[in-house]
Amino acid sequence: MNHTLIIYGIQAVLRAAQAGADLYAEHARDRNVFLPDINLSPDTKETQLRQFLDAHPDIAEKTPGIAGLWDKETGFFISSDSSQLDAACAIMLQYKAQIELKKAGKDKKTANYEAKMLAGGRMIEQWRAEKEPPSPIIRFALTLTDIGLEFVSSNPSITGLGSRGEKLIAAFAGNLSALIPDTVDKFGNKEGLADRILGIFLRAGLGTLSNNCAMVFNDKDVETLFKGVVEPIVQNLPNDISEQFEYRTLVDALAGPSAEAVFKLLGENTDGYLGKEFANEKALGAVTSAVFDAVKSTFQGGSIVDIFSEQGVIRLYQAALGVVVEQPALFIDVDETAESKLFKALLNGSAEILKKYPDFHGPMGADLTAMVVKTVGQHAHALMKLNPDDPWENIAKTVLEQTVFGLAEIFEKKNEKGSLEGALKALGKRQIIECGRMVLEQAVLTPRMAGIKESEIQPILSGLAQAMAADENLLLSPEAWLQITAIAAKTASANPGRLFNPSFSGDGNPIAVTVMSAILNAAGRTWRSNEGARGTLLFGETLKSVLEAALSALAGNIEAVSNNPKLVGTFMEYLTGFAKENPDKMGSDGLIKVFRTSIGKVLGQGELPTKAQIINILSTQEI
Amino acid sequence: MKKNPAILSLIILLFFLAGCVTLRDVQRYTDLIRTENEIARILTEESSIESPDKEAKLSILGDHAKKQADTLKKDPATYPDAIAYYRIATTAYWQSWKPDTVEKFFNSAESGQKLCAQLDETAPDRDCIYLKLVVPFAGLEAEDKKVNPQTLSQVNFADKNATATEIEHMEAIYSSLKLSKRLLTHMIAIEKDARLMSHTGMKAYYCRNSKRVIDRYKALWKGFLVRVMEFHKKVQESARPLHITEEEARSLALPTNASGICR
């Protein structure tokens, strides 16, 4: 064995191994390694903008909105004002998006369009990520976005691309500036309230769309809503901190239902009416201002909420909105400015009237007032012709007063035991209010009936109350009494100053009351003597028909009954006596027929029909 | 045949001696790779996590790498390995950035650069460029943690009013910009190193990061300058004076052709 060879051999092996180790060393040292990048804090809008403009000075120089604040010589955007930075950032985002889209192969037109969407979306996300409080308009935009996102997950059908919901949100976004005063520092505490109201109204609008698949709101309607409703609610925020707390609490309760009422009205008044304007925004603003001002103002230590309740105030507002839609001119002054003081006075005055009558507190009183507002408002022009020196609000207040007085008398008709008399105890409060409405409606259709100085509303209601009290045996149902009220009101309106005027009757009562009471007393006596329905005709439908016929006949000659108030009573005794003696000849139809045929002569000439005449009437076929 | 036991012994000795050297080398390179992998794992997998745990792990890795480097630097033959370990150490200390690692960071960077200088032409390009860059990079990042665009956004002189806090912010931004400018100048000076041009990977790394810090600096400086101008022109009520003139603010501008190799 050659020893040198072995040594060389070993050296060779070692060198090979060493070469491997060197290669491994090079690999270990020179392999790709991870080198960390510098970690910087996020850019703000301002630094992003400045970097973008540094890289694109040509865009800075030629773009309106930036060029005015770009110092070409030094390459500076010379403002740190946040609103100017915001506006410039919006432009920057759009450009960035355009560049990206063009790189991705979009044509110029599509890139321009989609860039706006991208830029807007990134702007929203950027605002959301910022830690400092955004400006008012940003805050509002985020509110709209957040509520829109809520509906995206719960009602995707109304918030998809090009959907009704998306259009409504866009319309809201387009009107945000209406909420912001010229100088933002004037906003103060109102910013938070405005944000909240905005959210409530958008939710109500999207909710309305969800519930009505055919409804669409256009941009003009939303603009009207903003200026006429949202803005006045915000503007009425009091300056005093403690008053603000109360106002905000009320607004929390009122804003949602108010918004629903407005959207409902909007839907009712624009559906199918292409191009029709929803409402006059000044008139809308006047009413909203008046209502939301009245909720905070006090009279004798209270506000309208104390009298009408929150639910009642909403009903009042709804009624007023109805008048706004039909008669916007009522809320606009001669110089074309919105007139809200008078309506506010009406609201406060109404509350003051109703305060004296606990029976009318709460929603019922509000319903009554709402009815007056709606009815008087709708017929205001006719009423104002009668009372040219008085605004319609004063007429409405007087009408309400008389209606309430009249209805209050009904509630005062109590017996020794303290319960209501006759049919009054069977009528619920709602039905009594309905009586008031019927009379009121007829009154406004005949303006003289609602005349300020000689209004008949109160006497009619008072007279009807007297008549109802006379129905001791409850021979008429509440529904029948409502029908009689309608006839009485209609006949009274056709004969103003006659039926319910005491001067026409010799016993000091209005003639209609005298006649109805006589009929009811006769019916009652008959009922009692027969111990019920058996053998009695004068009750229920028959009695109702007789009373209606009597009321209608009072439009004719009433000379005899005016001089002799007992005449009708005598006639009824005679008729019921005949019916009792001749049950085979006279049933309920026959009684009605004889009464209708004879009552005119009875009232006018005092002539009662003879028995032969009765028989003749009964045997005559009606054609 | 009679064998010569002495020669055989020598051969065997040589064999074993040679084998031990190789094995140690392999173990060292394996450790280098493992340390590298571990730091890469922490920095990539845990990149979004800020935790004392992560910082502690990085600090421990840094200490290990520095210890290896300090040992290896004693032998010129292993200077490249030492430089690699110093690279790992500075990276680990930079990313953990605890008060007790700052000194070790500078120490590692300096020690590695000295070895690079000694190796001259044969110095490993990537690691030596990195050891130069890591100092301004880490310094700029640390400065950004103290003063950054958010600080600037809290100063608003458009309302013609300067609060004490706003003045404090302006003074802090001014100090920070002065330091940052020095760091940037130092960073840009590294562009003269020819190796940076020739090493495409490091050039890309440098350009990517230098662009970000230069752009950030410019934006911050311009926003600062605008506010200095607004203060002197618009502010009517100030809690205390701002002792920074427009000229002083303008003097913080970077040279127009900063970072020429990245264009």
Side-chain angles (χ1 to χ4, degrees), chain A residues 424-442:
Chain A
L424 293 171
K425 60 176 173 277
L427 285 166
K429 277 187 180 177
R430 289 255 154 248
Q431 285 155 328
I432 293 173
I433 297 277
E434 182 61 14
C435 289
R437 188 194 62 76
M438 286 177 180
V439 172
L440 177 65
E441 268 202 359
Q442 287 300 323

Side-chain angles (χ1 to χ4, degrees), chain A residues 4-173:
Chain A
T4 308
L5 199 61
I6 293 170
I7 291 170
Y8 281 163
I10 292 171
Q11 277 178 335
V13 167
L14 289 177
R15 276 176 190 170
Q18 189 64 32
D22 281 345
L23 287 171
Y24 193 38
E26 277 178 32
H27 168 71
R29 286 195 300 267
D30 298 342
R31 61 197 273 271
N32 286 338
V33 294
F34 175 78
L35 298 179
D37 285 331
I38 299 177
N39 186 18
L40 295 177
S41 57
D43 276 310
T44 56
K45 280 198 300 273
E46 181 177 354
T47 52
Q48 275 187 51
L49 176 68
R50 292 191 186 282
Q51 287 175 55
F52 178 79
L53 295 177
D54 266 356
H56 301 91
D58 53 324
I59 292 174
E61 284 166 26
K62 74 180 182 196
T63 306
I66 297 179
L69 294 164
W70 178 255
D71 183 326
K72 193 176 167 181
E73 208 180 301
T74 50
F76 262 76
F77 184 79
I78 54 167
S79 171
S80 68
D81 181 83
S82 63
S83 58
Q84 287 172 337
L85 287 171
D86 274 346
C89 276
I91 296 169
M92 170 191 75
L93 285 172
Q94 214 168 308
Y95 267 111
K96 277 188 174 180
Q98 269 175 350
I99 292 166
E100 272 176 47
L101 288 162
K102 281 178 188 166
K103 268 189 201 168
K106 299 275 180 181
D107 62 271
K108 188 177 174 185
K109 191 176 171 190
T110 312
N112 282 345
Y113 171 73
E114 290 185 14
K116 285 180 188 160
M117 302 283 283
L118 261 178
R122 282 176 183 162
M123 206 155 62
I124 298 281
E125 290 310 311
Q126 202 171 48
W127 290 334
R128 201 193 295 284
E130 281 175 6
K131 289 171 193 156
E132 73 266 21
S135 66
I137 203 154
I138 291 170
R139 183 174 173 175
F140 298 157
L142 287 173
T143 296
L144 295 184
T145 312
D146 287 344
I147 292 171
L149 287 170
E150 275 176 35
F151 275 80
V152 162
S153 55
S154 62
N155 287 278
S157 61
I158 65 156
T159 49
L161 183 67
S163 64
R164 297 171 298 142
E166 191 189 65
K167 286 178 183 162
L168 182 67
I169 296 171
F172 266 64

Side-chain angles (χ1 to χ4, degrees), chain A residues 304-605:
Chain A
I304 62 171
V305 179
D306 298 323
I307 300 299
F308 296 123
S309 79
E310 287 163 3
Q311 191 187 6
V313 168
I314 296 297
R315 291 184 194 177
L316 275 174
Y317 186 49
Q318 278 173 306
L321 287 177
V323 180
V324 162
V325 170
E326 296 296 330
Q327 304 266 16
L330 294 179
F331 302 95
I332 299 173
D333 218 336
V334 289
D335 60 356
E336 294 295 310
T337 55
E339 169 49 68
S340 65
K341 283 186 200 149
L342 286 171
F343 190 67
K344 184 186 161 188
L346 168 60
L347 292 171
N348 280 334
S350 303
E352 212 167 324
I353 292 165
L354 293 170
K355 193 176 177 184
K356 301 171 204 164
Y357 302 95
D359 284 317
F360 291 98
H361 287 190
M364 195 173 87
D367 281 346
L368 185 60
T369 310
M371 176 185 75
V372 170
V373 165
K374 197 170 168 190
T375 314
V376 173
Q378 284 169 346
H379 296 94
H381 289 302
L383 290 167
M384 287 196 294
K385 280 182 188 164
L386 194 62
N387 306 284
D389 296 330
D390 253 335
W392 77 277
E393 287 90 347
N394 283 356
I395 299 170
K397 219 164 41 172
T398 307
V399 165
L400 175 69
E401 198 165 27
Q402 291 172 5
T403 309
V404 170
F405 285 162
L407 290 174
E409 281 195 13
I410 296 176
F411 291 116
E412 281 163 13
K413 291 221 172 294
K414 292 179 180 160
N415 56 26
E416 311 82 43
K417 293 175 188 173
S419 47
L420 290 170
E421 292 181 322
L424 293 171
K425 60 176 173 277
L427 285 166
K429 277 187 180 177
R430 289 255 154 248
Q431 285 155 328
I432 293 173
I433 297 277
E434 182 61 14
C435 289
R437 188 194 62 76
M438 286 177 180
V439 172
L440 177 65
E441 268 202 359
Q442 287 300 323
V444 293
L445 284 173
T446 314
R448 204 170 152 245
M449 270 182 77
I452 297 292
K453 295 192 173 75
E454 294 176 21
S455 167
E456 289 197 51
I457 297 171
Q458 187 186 341
I460 293 174
L461 287 171
S462 183
L464 282 168
Q466 262 185 282
M468 288 176 191
D471 183 11
E472 292 172 350
N473 297 105
L474 302 179
L475 299 176
L476 288 170
S477 67
E479 290 73 31
W481 271 113
L482 287 176
Q483 288 169 21
I484 290 168
T485 302
I487 300 283
K490 195 172 175 186
T491 313
S493 73
N495 297 272
R498 196 182 211 226
L499 267 68
F500 290 91
N501 186 341
S503 63
F504 273 90
S505 175
D507 63 357
N509 285 321
I511 195 69
V513 175
T514 301
V515 166
M516 284 198 291
S517 298
I519 296 170
L520 286 164
N521 287 336
R525 275 196 299 277
T526 313
W527 183 270
R528 286 190 295 276
S529 68
N530 287 343
E531 295 177 354
R534 195 176 167 192
T536 305
L537 294 175
L538 206 51
F539 70 99
E541 279 300 309
T542 309
L543 178 57
K544 181 175 84 76
S545 298
V546 163
L547 283 167
E548 285 172 354
L551 286 167
S552 298
L554 286 170
N557 184 352
I558 55 170
E559 186 182 358
V561 68
S562 299
N563 295 326
N564 180 7
K566 291 186 183 173
L567 198 55
V568 173
T570 307
F571 177 46
M572 294 315 301
E573 292 283 351
Y574 177 56
L575 259 190
T576 51
F578 182 93
K580 192 173 177 183
E581 285 164 15
N582 301 277
D584 55 329
K585 289 190 175 67
M586 181 184 267
S588 60
D589 283 354
L591 189 145
I592 293 168
K593 194 172 167 185
V594 170
F595 186 89
R596 274 188 188 143
T597 309
S598 312
I599 188 63
K601 271 194 175 173
V602 170
L603 296 176
Q605 282 102 49

Side-chain angles (χ1 to χ4, degrees), chain B residues 8 25-26 51 58 80 125 133 135 139 144 152 192 194 247 257:
Chain B
L8 193 56
D25 287 342
V26 168
S51 73
L58 287 168
D125 292 348
L133 289 174
V135 171
D144 178 77
L152 188 71
K192 292 182 189 141
E247 203 183 326
N257 54 355

